[in-house]
Amino acid sequence: MAETRQTDDQAKKSRKSALGTALPAVSAHTPAQENSANIEELRNEITMLRRELRLMRIANAELERVAVRDTLTPLYNRRYFLTALNERLNRAKRYNSTAALLFLDVNRMKFINDAFGHSAGDFALLHIAQLIQTNIRTTDVAARIGGDEFAVIIEEVDQATALTKVEELEQMLRATPCDFGEEKLMVSASIGFTMLMPNDRDESAIERADANMYARKRAWHSQSKSGSKPKGSSAAA
């Protein structure tokens, strides 16, 4: 009897010990399911990284555009213009290629700003820039280099062709309506030019084009007062 009771007590203790012992944790996912989840997580990370890379490329492209483009018009800015001018000068020196530099100054810009407001002035500048852009070749370079000043580099032209282009642009600007709301802005410009020389520096070419532009502007003022039609004039090399 005593042995039977002792055996029963040991059996009860064994059952209690077995009940109190924690069973090992069993994963609810199989190895294949865990691998699938990891792969899906990697795919999501790759998709996110690709999206971030696209955004970075867009941001970099915009920074590059802003660095070379004018803030008001679709043309290049002064910084890009000077770089392009020096490239053309180097090309002229090495390969004896020909190109012309045009300087354009808007006539009566102060009057437009004073009479109709600076919004009208900005509209006139944009109007002029768009006309310039649509009337030059893709190989040419047009830039806004100051408040109401523009420059154009025309490649592979001689002096006679450059002068013809100057007169065409002046005539086009005078003849194309510039409607700012109900107001009709009288927009015109004086354009000077010079041929790029193999031994030129950017300053010397700019000075010649600028001087020719002011000579044509003075002639325009005189002819406007007398009522005569503006005439072309060639630039000194």
Side-chain angles (χ1 to χ4, degrees), residues 103-164:
F103 253 44
L104 183 153
D105 186 82
V106 182
N107 297 322
R108 303 177 71 210
M109 195 67 210
K110 185 177 185 303
F111 170 78
I112 293 175
N113 284 327
D114 292 345
F116 305 106
H118 286 276
S119 294
D122 288 347
F123 184 84
L125 293 173
L126 184 58
H127 168 81
I128 291 170
Q130 290 171 337
L131 288 176
I132 294 172
Q133 189 176 49
T134 55
N135 285 275
I136 60 173
R137 299 165 299 181
T138 55
T139 54
D140 300 329
V141 176
R144 180 176 172 232
I145 58 173
D148 59 354
E149 293 182 332
F150 300 83
V152 183
I153 302 171
I154 301 178
E155 296 192 276
E156 301 301 329
V157 293
D158 57 21
Q159 184 160 321
T161 305
L163 177 57
T164 298

Side-chain angles (χ1 to χ4, degrees), residues 59-140:
N60 287 336
E62 179 63 14
L63 287 174
E64 291 175 2
R65 187 194 69 81
V66 170
V68 300
R69 290 288 179 178
D70 180 47
T71 56
L72 175 65
T73 72
L75 305 183
Y76 290 108
N77 58 21
R78 183 181 184 87
R79 175 184 176 184
Y80 182 87
F81 160 73
L82 291 173
T83 300
L85 177 59
N86 280 284
E87 288 176 353
R88 269 60 176 188
L89 290 172
N90 290 334
R91 197 178 303 169
K93 186 174 183 179
R94 293 182 63 183
Y95 306 110
N96 202 30
S97 60
T98 60
L101 171 61
L102 279 59
F103 253 44
L104 183 153
D105 186 82
V106 182
N107 297 322
R108 303 177 71 210
M109 195 67 210
K110 185 177 185 303
F111 170 78
I112 293 175
N113 284 327
D114 292 345
F116 305 106
H118 286 276
S119 294
D122 288 347
F123 184 84
L125 293 173
L126 184 58
H127 168 81
I128 291 170
Q130 290 171 337
L131 288 176
I132 294 172
Q133 189 176 49
T134 55
N135 285 275
I136 60 173
R137 299 165 299 181
T138 55
T139 54
D140 300 329

